[in-house]
């Protein structure tokens, strides 16, 4: 049974009524532009064909009852006391429920009507895998409340509300890329977002090429703390560089030449972190031009360089992801391979010439399993539409 049918069935069992509507919001894979969104840089993600689904009906009161099918747990909260992070019986909200509650909080702060509802949700976006499972949960609930409240916001506004939920309610200082991709995804298109102006345009997927996602199956605890640390290092770099370049507001404003000239003035660790960002912003723009000129090989080389930089300068990779990327890069038909998303485990993204896809998937799986003893999930993904009602 697919997820929407399963949810509808479970909803009827749990709430003794059929759900009014179903919302869907996809995860995303990022091709290039990693850890640059919160530095005002450029990112190149696509929404993927894996998503979070919410089945929902209005409750008629201010109470939100949510069941998380994938956790086998339920929670409830009142739309009148969202700030407390408490359930109706005053026990604390479980961690997973902070995502819907945070979205409700953020939407009401934004002046949108958030009604009580009964809801069940489930997802096939793997959790903690660098494919934005959190953003997909946030967007799926945001779309549900939009439908229930009878108001409407442009997708980018919804994305910003969801980012604020994660920043200020859940406490992860993520950038805008994930919520943007989940909200604004388009079938068969890549999305090029300027994270400063929030302007974006879409690009076709390169012809004859597959995007293959491979899950290392490794997940690291404390990843969100390490993520916030990286962000703080970038802010420190900006603060220090402002002494020489008073006009800059973020690392986006620092040219490669200025950075090279001033690098020695920074503490070594801050220099490494900032170098990744400055180079990755430049690399992404250059690689997009290559892609548009039909140079998939050149684009793939930029992906490989991005991985090396995430591993050596930004230090968000792990031995298993390095191994998976090393194997992928040695296989026939692979243009580029790298860690995707926030890092500290999770998935790699691989650009592979279509005629080699099957062989690539097989060989990568076998070699990775024999080197690490882990059994990865590897699949071809297609770019999908953004969040909406079904
Ligand atoms: C996570 C964050 C994004 C982005 C990536 C790294 O997915 O949610 O905002 O910073 O990491 O590129």
């Amino acid at each position: 049974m697919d997820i929407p049918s399963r949810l509808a069935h479970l909803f009827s069992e749990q709430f003794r009524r059929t759900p009014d509507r179903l919302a869907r919001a996809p995860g995303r894979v990022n091709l290039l532009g990693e850890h640059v969104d919160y530095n005002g840089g450029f990112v190149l993600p696509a929404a993927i064909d894996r998503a979070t689904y919410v089945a929902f009906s209005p409750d008629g009161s201010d109470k939100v009852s949510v069941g998380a099918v994938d956790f086998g747990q339920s929670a409830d909260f009142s739309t009148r006391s969202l700030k407390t992070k408490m359930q109706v019986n005053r026990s604390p909200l479980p961690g997973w429920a902070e995502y819907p509650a945070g979205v409700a909080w953020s939407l009401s702060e934004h002046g949108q009507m958030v009604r009580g509802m009964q809801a069940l949700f489930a997802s096939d976006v793997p959790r903690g895998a660098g494919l934005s499972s959190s953003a997909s949960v946030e967007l799926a609930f945001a779309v549900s409340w939009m439908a229930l409240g009878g108001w409407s916001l442009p997708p980018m506004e919804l994305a910003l509300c969801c980012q604020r939920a994660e920043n200020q309610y859940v406490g992860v200082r993520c950038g805008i890329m994930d919520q943007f991709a989940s909200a604004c995804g388009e079938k068969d298109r890549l999305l090029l977002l300027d994270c400063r102006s929030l302007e974006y345009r879409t690009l076709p997927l390169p012809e004859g090429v597959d995007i293959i996602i491979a899950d290392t199956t490794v997940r690291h605890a404390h990843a969100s703390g390490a993520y916030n640390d990286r962000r703080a290092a970038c802010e420190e770099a900006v603060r220090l560089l402002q002494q020489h370049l008073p006009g800059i507001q973020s690392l986006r404003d620092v040219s490669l030449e200025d950075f090279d000239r001033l690098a020695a003035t920074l503490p070594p660790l801050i220099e490494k972190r900032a170098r990744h960002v400055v180079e990755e912003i430049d690399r992404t723009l250059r690689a997009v031009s290559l892609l548009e000129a039909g140079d998939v090989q050149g684009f793939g080389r930029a992906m490989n360089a991005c991985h090396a930089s995430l591993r050596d300068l930004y230090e968000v990779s792990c031995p298993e992801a390095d191994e998976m990327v090393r194997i992928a890069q040695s296989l026939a038909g692979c243009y580029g391979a790298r860690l995707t998303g926030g890092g500290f485990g999770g998935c790699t993204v691989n650009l592979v010439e279509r005629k080699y896809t099957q062989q690539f998937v097989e060989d990568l799986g076998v070699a990775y399993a024999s080197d690490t003893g882990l059994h990865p999930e590897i699949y071809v993904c297609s770019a999908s539409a953004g969040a909406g009602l079904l």
Side-chain angles (χ1 to χ4, degrees):
M1 210 190 284
D2 62 10
I3 300 181
S5 321
R6 194 159 149 248
L7 275 182
H9 173 76
L10 292 171
F11 191 98
S12 311
E13 269 185 13
Q14 183 160 340
F15 298 115
R16 305 263 147 236
R17 60 199 282 212
T18 48
D20 272 21
R21 301 300 300 255
L22 265 156
R24 166 193 174 276
R28 63 100 190 91
V29 63
N30 188 24
L31 261 65
L32 214 52
E34 213 65 91
H35 284 282
V36 300
D37 59 349
Y38 50 86
N39 291 294
F42 296 84
V43 294
L44 188 68
I48 58 173
D49 47 358
R50 295 203 166 199
T52 298
Y53 300 82
V54 181
F56 62 96
S57 289
D59 177 78
S61 73
D62 59 10
K63 183 172 156 188
V64 179
S65 311
V66 194
V69 172
D70 302 328
F71 299 95
Q73 286 183 18
S74 296
D76 58 25
F77 52 86
S78 160
T79 57
R80 282 198 237 163
S81 54
L82 291 163
K83 263 198 181 141
T84 62
K85 297 195 181 177
M86 292 287 181
Q87 302 203 55
V88 174
N89 69 6
R90 311 294 299 159
S91 65
L93 280 178
W96 61 263
E98 288 190 14
Y99 292 89
V103 171
W105 167 81
S106 178
L107 290 172
S108 6
E109 292 278 298
H110 192 265
Q112 310 310 131
M113 144 93 95
V114 177
R115 294 177 63 190
M117 68 172 170
Q118 295 170 325
L120 269 192
F121 76 102
S123 186
D124 60 3
V125 185
R127 267 191 306 279
L131 300 177
S132 299
S133 57
S134 314
S136 75
V137 171
E138 291 155 13
L139 263 301
F141 274 93
V143 164
S144 307
W145 273 306
M146 181 159 82
L148 277 180
W151 44 264
S152 119
L153 281 181
M156 186 66 90
E157 289 275 318
L158 272 192
L160 287 164
C161 282
C162 290
Q163 182 200 15
R164 186 148 72 121
E166 191 151 343
N167 287 174
Q168 296 180 23
Y169 198 89
V170 180
V172 179
R173 299 183 61 211
C174 64
I176 189 61
M177 171 170 68
D178 305 351
Q179 290 79 8
F180 155 75
S182 183
C184 302
E186 284 185 27
K187 191 167 164 30
D188 297 332
R189 308 287 288 184
L190 299 173
L191 314 164
L192 177 66
L193 172 69
D194 176 338
C195 297
R196 170 172 284 170
S197 68
L198 297 185
E199 279 166 13
Y200 75 97
R201 61 188 176 88
T202 70
L203 276 70
L205 295 167
E207 301 239 328
V209 168
D210 279 325
I211 297 174
I212 297 176
I213 293 177
D215 192 342
T216 62
T217 74
V218 176
R219 307 284 186 268
H220 283 286
H222 312 304
S224 63
Y227 180 92
N228 288 349
D229 287 349
R230 295 301 182 282
R231 186 163 180 164
C234 295
E235 288 165 356
E236 177 66 359
V238 172
R239 201 182 61 75
L240 294 169
L241 290 169
Q242 272 168 343
Q243 294 166 10
H244 311 275
L245 305 167
I248 64 166
Q249 272 157 35
S250 69
L251 289 175
R252 155 83 175 268
D253 299 320
V254 182
S255 67
L256 270 177
E257 296 72 43
D258 278 341
F259 189 78
D260 283 337
R261 185 166 57 79
L262 297 168
T265 66
L266 297 173
L269 191 65
I270 303 285
E271 194 255 326
K272 271 165 77 171
R273 304 296 189 246
R275 178 175 293 284
H276 163 76
V277 173
V278 173
E279 291 182 353
E280 176 77 352
I281 292 175
D282 177 71
R283 178 160 45 232
T284 302
L285 285 180
R286 278 188 294 118
V288 166
S289 306
L290 294 178
L291 195 63
E292 290 184 304
D295 183 355
V296 187
Q297 273 181 344
F299 184 85
R301 277 196 296 274
M303 290 174 71
N304 294 341
C306 170
H307 184 78
S309 181
L310 291 172
R311 180 189 62 209
D312 302 335
L313 298 178
Y314 221 59
E315 297 180 287
V316 292
S317 189
C318 62
E320 296 84 353
D322 292 342
E323 181 58 11
M324 187 171 250
V325 164
R326 188 193 63 73
I327 300 166
Q329 290 174 350
S330 75
L331 294 175
C334 179
Y335 290 114
R338 68 175 198 81
L339 180 68
T340 188
F344 312 105
C347 290
T348 66
V349 57
N350 307 268
L351 214 57
V352 176
E353 191 178 344
R354 188 159 295 141
K355 66 173 190 232
Y356 290 98
T357 291
Q358 215 187 333
Q359 195 65 51
F360 177 89
V361 170
E362 247 172 71
D363 291 352
L364 180 60
V366 169
Y368 181 74
S370 100
D371 290 358
T372 62
L374 299 168
H375 296 280
E377 196 197 351
I378 305 175
Y379 52 93
V380 178
C381 92
S382 47
S384 90
L389 293 175
L390 289 183

